[in-house]
Amino acid sequence: MDRERRLSEKAREEIRRLQGLYPQARSALLPALFVAQGEEGYLSEEALEEVAELFDLPLSEVASVASFYTLFHRRPVGRHVIHFCTNLSCMLNGAEEILAHLCRRLGIQPGETTRDGLFTVKKAECLAACDIAPMMLVDEEVYGNLTPQKVDEILGKYREEGSG
Amino acid sequence: MPEKLLTRYIHEPDQADITTYIRRGGYEAARRALRELTPEQIIEMVDQAGLRGRGGAGFPTGRKWRFVPKHAPVKYVVVNADEGEPGTFKDRTLMERDPHQLLEGIILASYAIGAHKAFIYLRGEFYGARRQLQRAIAQATERGFLGRNIFGSDFSLDVVLHTGAGAYIAGEETALLESLEGKRAMPRLKPPYFPAVMGLYSQPTALNNVETLCHVTQIVRHGPEWYKEQGPPVLFSVSGHVARPGLYELPLGIPLRELIFSHAGGIRGGRRFKACFPGGSSSMLLVEEHLDVPMDYESLARVGSMLGSGAVIVMDETTCMVKVIARAVEFYRDESCGKCTPCREGTVWLSQIFDRILQGRGRREDLDLLESIARNMTGTCFCPLGESVPPSLRASLLYFHDEYEAHIRTGRCNVLQPV
Ligand SMILES: Cc1cc2nc3c(=O)[nH]c(=O)nc-3n(C[C@H](O)[C@H](O)[C@H](O)COP(=O)(O)O)c2cc1C
Ligand code: SF4
Ligand code: FES
């Protein structure tokens, strides 16, 4: 009863509101998982359990749905998540070298998080911005026509924000 | 020169605002339709315009809407805004730059089939489009263009913006419905689950692509005759090694050569054209001998490929085709939903063979092995995702056999170094 809750009351309310938008509440499961992920930055086992309760579903079912989709993180990620597109149009425009440059600058491999917890880099599939390839998504912002210099500038900007 | 319809205002920064959209003639078609036209008349116009779905399969839109039972008590419209086909960026652009054009199409489609609830299934990574659509829905609701008694008529419609969570297969229509019901995005067996008859929550559902619905807005606004005289228009997303990558609205049937060389500025750096995917990475690879093919449904089908989503990915002479196909296969391997064996296993095997060829450990028999796996996947996959792997793979083995051989023989790529 008294175990510590991972979802705030605000998050619970938001999930209930979402459930009301659909003829069947279960449709709000993905949106609800985004709300839950917003709380801690990733989906902990406890958070999944609480979502499962709100939907009256077994935990295994909710975990299985969450694991199907790439935007749900089951482990903590950095403050900024970089989705770097490596699909065809970006690859043809040098994405590999730019990604290698980015990873060198951060001292990590794709899939990893920097030691200071500021950045996580993930390889991404086509993000529908092939006209500005090579491109990446940092959190919700799109950056295209990338060059090594441009990558350095962008990283600098986020680092400044982080220390400011 | 035909006029641009769908993309006419996408470079105007204020087009996403409802006031500007209305000033430029927006929502007139929906208002007139709801006041003066019957649902049947709208479907008739869409038929006359010859509109075919722009999500990839190219099914006639009017015909699809007619499958929806007229007297069913509950029906839905679902918008496929999950745009994930590699090379395609038209839907995201339309939603970010002109979201009301889509909302107007949703009103028209809902009225045509008699739906009072519509869902936009938006790809999770499209944050910009989400912001624009949220604002557009709020603006339209405030003006009474969405909600109860739209434009003072007795027609009501709610639009719910729903976000996906990262899965290419969720773009397949039945997988999308599963996902919208809060499940893993796995395709359903067809028949009986054609969405028009049995879709969301097992109710009749008109499921359409974003671009398709934007065409509907333009068809009703201008009338099917004039619309057809402008092409009919199609959106092409051109990327890769061209001088001017971008979104091009051009008449259906424009020759591939003209699209690449006149509109997209030709090959960058004065290099030679080598190959392209004409309709996204799921369409069969084309080479120089295909350059004069008209970009329409039938002509592309005749050469074994398809118009698909209209995404032309262009490759120049410096491109390693083994690497390109390897990357495409890797995409389908990672995005396979795992439901059927030929796709789940086939893509993994193919990837392993490509890996060893690219790492210089290729074997002579690998080429036959690739061919035989491709053959075994053909016609045996549960959905089109798996089926889209073999055609380009086999085309590459045919047209670029030398490149594969050289990789295996020398253990490295020889494309850039003339032998
Ligand atoms: C693997 C796969 C992915 C697809 N992805 C999309 C997509 O992202 N957007 C889309 O509109 N259609 C996509 N489709 C096509 C849809 O299944 C469906 O045909 C389309 O949304 C119907 O709308 P339309 O008739 O307006 O084209 C995909 C199909 C498959 C097999
Ligand atoms: S072909 Fe691939 S994506 Fe389609 S059902 Fe089979 S495993 Fe899933
Ligand atoms: S291939 Fe990178 S955005 Fe499309």
Side-chain angles (χ1 to χ4, degrees):
Chain A
M1 273 306 278
D2 289 311
R3 83 187 140 84
E4 204 186 320
R5 286 197 161 164
R6 297 298 180 104
L7 300 185
S8 61
E9 201 41 54
K10 196 161 151 258
R12 291 167 174 276
E13 255 167 49
E14 175 62 5
I15 290 175
R16 283 188 211 105
R17 184 189 73 83
L18 290 167
Q19 289 175 329
L21 291 178
Y22 301 86
Q24 295 182 9
R26 163 109 193 221
S27 280
L29 184 54
L30 264 51
L33 287 169
F34 278 118
V35 172
Q37 181 159 285
E39 298 280 282
E40 298 177 282
Y42 76 108
L43 289 169
S44 62
E45 190 77 359
E46 292 82 358
L48 280 184
E49 238 166 72
E50 290 175 38
V51 172
E53 265 167 42
L54 287 170
F55 281 84
D56 210 6
L57 289 167
L59 169 64
S60 59
E61 177 69 19
V62 173
S64 135
V65 170
S67 71
F68 191 86
Y69 299 94
T70 57
L71 292 181
F72 295 128
H73 314 304
R74 292 301 316 277
R75 276 176 303 160
V77 289
R79 172 123 50 103
H80 303 289
V81 178
I82 301 179
H83 283 102
F84 199 102
C85 177
T86 59
N87 211 302
L88 293 173
S89 307
C90 286
M91 179 183 107
L92 294 169
N93 283 291
E96 259 174 83
E97 293 87 72
I98 311 275
L99 175 61
H101 173 85
L102 172 71
C103 288
R104 245 191 334 269
R105 277 281 184 270
L106 295 177
I108 55 174
Q109 296 293 312
E112 296 178 350
T113 300
T114 51
R115 189 109 37 96
D116 60 5
L118 206 48
F119 298 102
T120 296
V121 176
K122 296 193 165 200
K123 283 192 193 176
E125 298 300 356
C126 176
L127 288 163
C130 329
D131 50 341
I132 51 166
M135 61 78 65
M136 65 180 179
L137 194 61
V138 183
D139 303 329
E140 304 197 353
E141 292 310 312
V142 170
Y143 297 92
N145 298 314
L146 295 176
T147 58
Q149 295 84 313
K150 223 164 153 181
V151 165
D152 292 347
E153 280 167 30
I154 296 164
L155 290 181
K157 204 181 79 178
Y158 284 92
R159 282 197 174 114
E160 246 164 63
E161 277 173 22
S163 62
Chain B
M1 198 58 185
E3 286 202 33
K4 285 194 175 41
L5 299 181
L6 286 85
T7 57
R8 173 146 181 211
Y9 298 113
I10 59 166
H11 296 299
E12 311 278 343
D14 52 359
Q15 177 67 4
D17 187 67
I18 196 163
T19 319
T20 322
Y21 181 73
I22 292 172
R23 184 157 42 77
R24 293 179 177 142
Y27 285 114
E28 256 330 294
R31 186 192 305 272
R32 188 163 43 85
L34 265 55
R35 289 190 177 164
E36 300 166 19
L37 303 174
T38 62
E40 179 55 33
Q41 282 174 307
I42 309 241
I43 302 184
E44 199 94 316
M45 288 168 105
V46 169
D47 269 343
Q48 280 170 16
L51 179 62
R52 296 174 64 165
R54 299 298 309 124
F59 194 86
T61 307
R63 217 156 93 212
K64 189 189 267 187
W65 289 357
R66 281 184 208 284
F67 288 145
V68 177
K70 269 208 179 64
H71 299 292
V74 180
K75 303 173 228 184
Y76 298 109
V77 162
V78 173
V79 184
N80 192 339
D82 197 42
E83 188 172 60
E85 177 69 20
T88 317
F89 49 87
K90 65 198 175 69
D91 298 339
R92 185 185 57 78
T93 309
L94 288 170
M95 291 186 284
E96 283 182 4
R97 304 301 180 89
D98 200 349
H100 289 287
Q101 177 175 227
L102 172 62
L103 291 185
E104 191 169 2
I106 296 173
I107 297 172
L108 291 164
S110 302
Y111 178 65
I113 69 144
H116 299 292
K117 197 144 185 122
F119 297 91
I120 303 175
Y121 186 101
L122 180 69
R123 190 167 165 196
E125 294 94 331
F126 289 178
Y127 301 101
R130 179 153 76 206
R131 286 193 288 269
Q132 293 301 337
L133 285 169
Q134 270 167 346
R135 185 172 77 134
I137 291 170
Q139 289 181 335
T141 308
E142 196 181 302
R143 299 230 177 191
F145 299 173
L146 291 177
R148 300 201 72 74
N149 302 106
I150 299 182
F151 302 114
S153 74
D154 57 7
F155 181 74
S156 302
L157 174 69
D158 273 330
V159 175
V160 175
L161 182 60
H162 178 97
T163 22
Y168 167 67
I169 188 61
E172 193 279 331
E173 54 187 12
T174 60
L176 183 150
L177 293 172
E178 287 287 295
S179 181
L180 187 47
E181 291 181 5
K183 303 172 193 154
R184 296 165 76 103
M186 298 232 193
R188 297 175 178 171
L189 187 68
K190 289 197 268 189
Y193 297 114
F194 285 112
V197 183
M198 199 174 181
L200 188 61
Y201 313 124
S202 301
Q203 304 298 330
T205 303
L207 195 152
N208 285 110
N209 164 262
V210 168
E211 184 193 338
T212 308
L213 292 171
C214 292
H215 281 275
V216 170
T217 300
Q218 299 302 332
I219 290 166
V220 179
R221 179 180 300 178
H222 299 286
E225 294 309 321
W226 194 79
Y227 166 88
K228 268 208 317 221
E229 279 167 27
Q230 313 311 310
V234 174
L235 298 191
F236 294 102
S237 312
V238 187
S239 69
H241 293 145
V242 289
R244 287 193 299 271
L247 191 59
Y248 294 93
E249 178 174 346
L250 291 164
L252 183 69
I254 183 169
L256 178 57
R257 186 189 298 279
E258 202 179 317
L259 176 58
I260 296 175
F261 289 90
S262 307
H263 295 278
I267 308 300
R268 204 179 296 160
R271 297 209 173 103
R272 275 178 71 90
F273 170 89
K274 184 169 190 175
C276 78
F277 294 97
S281 71
S282 302
S283 66
M284 194 193 78
L285 195 70
L286 299 181
V287 295
E288 206 165 353
E289 67 186 60
H290 300 119
L291 272 176
D292 291 307
V293 68
M295 295 290 283
D296 60 49
Y297 299 95
E298 295 77 15
S299 308
L300 282 162
R302 223 169 287 134
V303 297
S305 192
M306 61 175 185
L307 188 60
S309 59
V312 185
I313 307 172
V314 179
M315 291 154 272
D316 73 16
E317 59 188 328
T318 66
T319 313
C320 169
M321 294 312 294
V322 181
K323 205 168 148 192
V324 165
I325 301 297
R327 182 62 186 88
V329 167
E330 188 186 304
F331 170 70
Y332 295 101
R333 178 197 68 193
D334 290 348
E335 297 299 328
S336 165
C337 82
K339 181 167 180 148
C340 69
T341 321
C343 168
R344 186 188 59 233
E345 303 288 320
T347 51
V348 171
W349 292 336
L350 289 174
S351 252
Q352 283 169 356
I353 299 171
F354 272 107
D355 280 351
R356 72 173 173 251
I357 294 178
L358 286 173
Q359 287 162 8
R361 297 181 288 109
R363 309 170 191 152
R364 274 229 70 78
E365 60 276 18
D366 280 345
L367 299 187
D368 289 338
L369 210 50
L370 288 176
E371 180 67 41
S372 121
I373 297 170
R375 217 171 27 242
N376 281 310
M377 286 176 71
T378 306
T380 56
C381 294
F382 186 84
C383 92
L385 186 149
E387 292 294 331
S388 55
V389 175
S392 284
L393 169 56
R394 299 177 82 172
S396 73
L397 285 167
L398 178 68
Y399 295 114
F400 304 106
H401 201 86
D402 292 353
E403 275 179 42
Y404 281 93
E405 294 240 301
H407 260 282
I408 291 174
R409 201 177 55 244
T410 67
R412 59 185 173 84
C413 182
N414 298 264
V415 172
L416 283 171
Q417 301 106 333
V419 203

